[in-house]
Amino acid sequence: MVTVIHPNLEKTDAKMNAKDVSVYYGDKMAIDNVSIEIPTKYVTAFIGPSGCGKSTFLRTMNRMNDTIPSARVEGEITLDGEDIYKSKMDVVQLRARVGMVFQKPNPFPKSIYDNIAYGPKIHGIAEGKDELDAIVETSLQRAGLWNEVKDRLADSGTALSGGQQQRLCIARAIAVDPEVILMDEPCSALDPIATAKIEELIADLNGSYAIVIVTHSMQQAARVSQRTAFFHLGKMVEYGRTSDIFTNPLEQRTQDYITGRYG
Amino acid sequence: MSPAILLLLAVGLGLAGWIAARSRAWAFKREAAAGERLAALPTYHAWYVALWIIIPMTLFIILWATTSPYLINQSVLASDAAAGLPAVDFQREALLREARAVADGSRPGVFNQDAKVLIEPFREAISRNNLIGILGSLIVGFLGGVWSFLRLKPDFTARTRVEKTVMSILLLASLVAILTTLGIVVSLVFETVRFFGMVSPIDFLFGTHWGPDPMANPENPDPTRYGAIPLFWGTIYIGAIIAMIVAIPLGLMSAIYLTQYASPKLRSWLKPALEILAGVPTVVYGYFAALTVAPFVRDIAVSIGISNASSESALAAGLVMGVMIIPFVSSMADDSIAAVPQAMRDGSLAMGATTSETIKRVLVPAALPGIVAGIMLAISRAIGETMIVVMAAGAAANLSANPLEAMTTVTFQIVAMLTGEGSFDHPATLSAFALGFVLFLVTLGLNFVALRVVKRFREAYE
């Protein structure tokens, strides 16, 4: 069965393009033939019940599935037209261009400063201490964390609150100046106030980066995204503008999910 | 009547109590109104009574078995037959021992005719004592059984009481280990104090010449021959420096390979193989050091132009000790690297770091406390190691930084002093206890710090 694409969906610049992507864990199929264009200037949300494959699909987009030995990807995913699964692809470079924020905040057990400086250091982005300082400051500012931590940059990143840790992780991802940011349920471990701050931050970042967010919360998808894809049982059921998906779903399963009949 | 038979009796009586209490509890159950339940299952009632029989009986039997030899002797000595015994202690003891052996049947007849008159009193005393043992333990067991049996009621909380008893038995078991350690410390301290009464601690701890003479006059030891600095240095040089130069990099690298690079299949082979190293008896390492590594080290030294290279060297002992210690370092490092959350590793990889960058900048720093603790435990193991140094490092107490020279360690000298020719209260022999005490304090300190570090580390990710 083919994904239903909303007729209202206008053509935009695609940053990433997935074509007929299937993912297997051993013999088990986790993603069944998904094709999607990730627009450059928008936030795209993947919604769907647990185990529908939305996180798996997200992880194929920066090849984080490579760390799972049994995972196998078929089909083609391109970043600016370049196949990221071709054998000559430099995975390290790819991940610098396609950053990722995880479900549970995972700051390194280092100082706040070193958490941000980590990426620029390993990629040789900053030349000299001054430039590194500047990157740290801008990244923290963009993540809305600067005012809270500017006096204690030497403190451990793990000492921050959960919400601050997650913003630190977003700042860390921004610091290497990626083109795409993948967010895997970034608010599922946070309280409502911290969640609101992250959502605000996503709204601020929108436009500068192509953002893909996996979320369990339909309200969150409706609030932060302009495009929504609904996944179910490893298939992408429906894809379109967020407003269309939530107000006028074409598929019965989408309708059932967003009205809370299951999931 | 041996205590073992009495203990069997205790178990038998306990079983009887068990069965009786169980059927009583079942009777409660049958009599209970529909819907009512006993406070504890019948089995718990049964165990409660059985424990009340077995534990007091066992205690009584232990008391009886430890006091009866003394009581028997006393009663024989008080008898008329003992009036003619010699007054000299050891002669009297010998006669008593002999007569007793004949009386309990472990010897066919007497050698010393004087002992003959004592046999009959001994027989009487032993049979009286056996009677006391049997009757006493039966009475104690019976009282315990009856008392506990009478307490059984439908609402009796036998379950929690059995739980408490089990807990105290377990506590007792763990106390044994702790009390043994305490006993070791006390005996060490006692002998060490005796030694320091003869040789001042300052001469011992800061002197630089070691050469106790077990034949010298024990009344007036020469304190300049009891300087332990060369031993401490040899121990640290071999165990904490040379061995660690081998063990830390190899152990760490193998841990990193095993946790980060090896496929699960390879890991399932390599890890046990590495752990086998820890199971090799140290004396076997000793052979290897003495027969293979030490000559090899000497040959290398000779070939690079060091003519007087010894066939016993600190280097050979340290190298082999390092290999022996690898599994300690690697398994602690392995555990602590594996304990760093996967999220940390994913986070670093998702930043575009390579695996080796991730290891160097994230995993190892995060696992550092555990790694350090492992190294400290390894050092304390290495400086307590004896066989390798006995076989490969030599006995000469040299204070030198040259790894090709023979050196000796604290553990080696403990063995040498205790098995030496000096009498037991000679300062040369007693110095072994002082050395052991210092070694004990150092390893205790290292283990203590290591455990503290590990504890703090464990809290970090919870």
Side-chain angles (χ1 to χ4, degrees):
Chain A
M1 192 193 51
V2 193
T3 307
V4 175
I5 308 284
H6 256 269
N8 289 347
L9 188 69
E10 71 277 25
K11 197 81 185 141
T12 54
D13 291 347
K15 188 73 195 172
M16 295 188 80
N17 202 339
K19 237 184 252 152
D20 308 327
V21 172
S22 297
V23 181
Y24 300 84
Y25 290 126
D27 294 333
K28 196 178 153 285
M29 190 181 231
I31 293 290
D32 184 3
N33 214 7
V34 168
S35 300
I36 187 172
E37 284 186 1
I38 303 296
T40 310
K41 298 277 179 204
Y42 291 127
V43 176
T44 308
F46 292 173
I47 61 169
S50 294
C52 67
K54 54 196 191 304
S55 288
T56 297
F57 186 65
L58 192 76
R59 289 169 67 94
T60 61
M61 293 170 64
N62 68 345
R63 292 189 58 173
M64 279 303 282
N65 275 343
D66 290 12
T67 60
I68 302 167
S70 65
R72 187 162 48 88
V73 178
E74 281 174 8
E76 190 188 63
I77 300 179
T78 58
L79 173 64
D80 288 339
E82 188 186 10
D83 182 4
I84 65 170
Y85 277 91
K86 70 180 180 192
S87 56
K88 267 192 278 177
M89 187 70 204
D90 182 355
V91 181
V92 166
Q93 277 308 311
L94 168 71
R95 289 183 189 148
R97 290 171 66 191
V98 183
M100 190 160 196
V101 175
F102 293 82
Q103 194 166 353
K104 224 180 127 213
N106 58 347
F108 303 131
K110 298 168 174 288
S111 70
I112 294 169
Y113 183 95
D114 286 337
N115 261 285
I116 310 293
Y118 184 77
K121 269 185 191 161
I122 57 174
H123 294 298
I125 290 172
E127 284 177 18
K129 178 94 172 87
D130 292 345
E131 204 173 328
L132 197 58
D133 287 349
I135 291 176
V136 171
E137 184 173 342
T138 5
S139 306
L140 284 171
Q141 264 167 351
R142 299 211 62 175
L145 197 58
W146 176 250
N147 287 329
E148 289 160 59
V149 302
K150 64 182 171 197
D151 300 322
R152 48 179 179 137
L153 291 176
D155 286 9
S156 173
T158 51
L160 296 173
S161 74
Q164 289 174 322
Q165 288 189 11
Q166 194 62 298
R167 278 181 284 151
L168 181 68
C169 291
I170 294 174
R172 184 174 77 185
I174 295 171
V176 292
D177 200 20
E179 295 155 40
V180 184
I181 301 178
L182 308 175
M183 297 186 179
D184 188 359
E185 299 186 32
C187 301
S188 65
L190 304 181
D191 63 61
I193 294 167
T195 300
K197 281 202 170 146
I198 301 279
E199 287 179 5
E200 223 172 90
L201 171 57
I202 293 172
D204 288 345
L205 299 177
N206 185 13
S208 315
Y209 309 94
I211 294 175
V212 185
I213 177 169
V214 164
T215 175
H216 253 112
S217 149
M218 283 166 288
Q219 290 86 342
Q220 184 170 65
R223 282 192 297 263
V224 302
S225 72
Q226 290 76 46
R227 297 282 179 272
T228 294
F230 171 62
F231 283 74
H232 185 53
L233 298 176
K235 294 186 174 74
M236 195 168 94
V237 175
E238 189 165 349
Y239 178 52
R241 296 199 309 206
T242 299
S243 50
D244 291 337
I245 295 279
F246 280 95
T247 54
N248 184 25
L250 299 176
E251 268 285 314
Q252 185 61 41
R253 278 177 295 170
T254 317
Q255 165 94 40
D256 289 349
Y257 182 70
I258 61 173
T259 53
R261 206 157 299 169
Y262 66 87
Chain B
M1 178 62 59
S2 78
I5 295 175
L6 285 180
L7 284 175
L8 222 61
L9 190 70
V11 172
L13 213 59
L15 187 68
W18 195 89
I19 293 167
R22 200 173 130 95
S23 54
R24 178 109 178 92
W26 275 111
F28 288 149
K29 204 165 182 179
R30 276 192 300 277
E31 289 158 17
E36 261 181 71
R37 287 199 303 172
L38 296 188
L41 291 176
T43 323
Y44 281 109
H45 287 89
W47 275 115
Y48 177 72
V49 172
L51 287 171
W52 259 108
I53 294 172
I54 292 172
I55 293 174
M57 270 181 96
T58 310
L59 293 178
F60 177 82
I61 293 165
I62 291 172
L63 187 74
W64 171 78
T66 48
T67 56
S68 63
Y70 176 78
L71 292 177
I72 291 173
N73 273 2
Q74 285 305 308
S75 73
V76 170
L77 284 175
S79 73
D80 299 337
L85 281 178
V88 185
D89 263 359
F90 72 90
Q91 286 176 351
R92 196 175 61 217
E93 291 297 319
L95 285 176
L96 284 172
R97 223 178 2 254
E98 200 175 341
R100 184 171 184 176
V102 176
D104 67 14
S106 58
R107 260 180 79 160
V110 289
F111 171 74
N112 193 327
Q113 291 307 313
D114 290 345
K116 225 168 199 169
V117 290
L118 293 171
I119 295 176
E120 223 20 67
F122 257 117
R123 286 227 169 98
E124 276 169 30
I126 287 174
S127 63
R128 200 166 48 240
N129 191 61
N130 280 349
L131 202 65
I132 293 174
I134 297 173
L135 284 181
S137 54
L138 279 179
I139 290 169
V140 168
F142 189 72
L143 286 180
V146 167
W147 185 76
S148 57
F149 192 81
L150 290 179
R151 294 190 71 189
L152 299 187
K153 272 187 294 225
D155 61 350
F156 181 63
T157 54
R159 194 177 174 190
T160 49
R161 282 162 205 267
V162 169
E163 183 68 20
K164 274 183 195 148
T165 317
V166 168
M167 192 200 75
S168 10
I169 292 173
L170 296 179
L171 178 71
L172 211 67
S174 59
L175 279 181
V176 168
I178 294 168
L179 290 178
T180 313
T181 315
L182 271 181
I184 292 172
V185 175
V186 168
S187 72
L188 265 181
V189 167
F190 185 71
E191 304 295 342
T192 305
V193 168
R194 266 177 80 187
F195 172 72
F196 283 145
M198 303 176 192
V199 176
S200 110
I202 295 177
D203 290 328
F204 175 74
L205 289 175
F206 300 106
T208 56
H209 173 66
W210 179 261
D213 179 4
M215 293 293 112
N217 175 13
E219 297 304 321
N220 191 14
D222 176 6
T224 60
R225 298 177 74 100
Y226 287 92
I229 289 278
L231 309 188
F232 297 145
W233 166 246
T235 307
I236 290 168
Y237 196 48
I238 294 176
I241 298 178
I242 300 179
M244 288 305 132
I245 288 174
V246 176
I248 292 171
L250 290 181
L252 266 186
M253 286 192 277
S254 64
I256 288 169
Y257 178 75
L258 283 176
T259 52
Q260 302 301 319
Y261 290 97
S263 67
K265 205 178 161 193
L266 190 64
R267 181 179 157 92
S268 72
W269 277 93
L270 273 181
K271 203 168 149 63
L274 196 63
E275 275 155 8
I276 284 175
L277 270 184
V280 175
T282 57
V283 70
V284 175
Y285 281 108
Y287 295 142
F288 179 61
L291 299 181
T292 313
V293 180
F296 181 70
V297 167
R298 184 200 50 214
D299 293 347
I300 298 268
V302 169
S303 73
I304 60 170
I306 301 165
S307 55
N308 61 348
S310 149
S311 65
E312 289 179 326
S313 63
L315 185 59
L319 287 177
V320 175
M321 204 185 273
V323 172
M324 183 191 86
I325 293 297
I326 289 174
F328 291 82
V329 177
S330 82
S331 81
M332 279 290 279
D334 188 321
D335 289 350
S336 47
I337 291 174
V340 177
Q342 180 68 22
M344 216 67 86
R345 196 170 158 237
D346 281 353
S348 174
L349 292 176
M351 294 294 300
T354 62
T355 308
S356 69
E357 281 166 345
T358 302
I359 291 165
K360 196 174 71 188
R361 291 169 175 269
V362 177
L363 294 182
V364 170
L368 201 59
I371 294 171
V372 169
I375 290 171
M376 279 194 279
L377 288 178
I379 292 177
S380 90
R381 178 84 170 69
I383 64 177
E385 165 53 34
T386 316
M387 282 321 294
I388 295 175
V389 283
V390 166
M391 298 174 82
N398 287 324
L399 189 56
S400 155
N402 177 1
L404 296 172
E405 228 170 294
M407 273 181 209
T408 192
T409 65
V410 171
T411 50
F412 180 99
Q413 289 302 322
I414 292 175
V415 174
M417 291 300 128
L418 281 180
T419 57
E421 291 135 357
S423 62
F424 190 75
D425 50 3
H426 193 283
T429 314
L430 289 177
S431 70
F433 293 97
L435 289 173
F437 187 62
V438 173
L439 195 63
F440 176 80
L441 285 184
V442 171
T443 50
L444 188 74
L446 279 172
N447 287 5
F448 182 74
V449 173
L451 290 178
R452 288 294 294 264
V453 172
V454 170
K455 202 173 156 211
R456 262 184 59 192
F457 161 70
R458 290 230 171 98
E459 284 160 1
Y461 296 114
E462 274 164 13

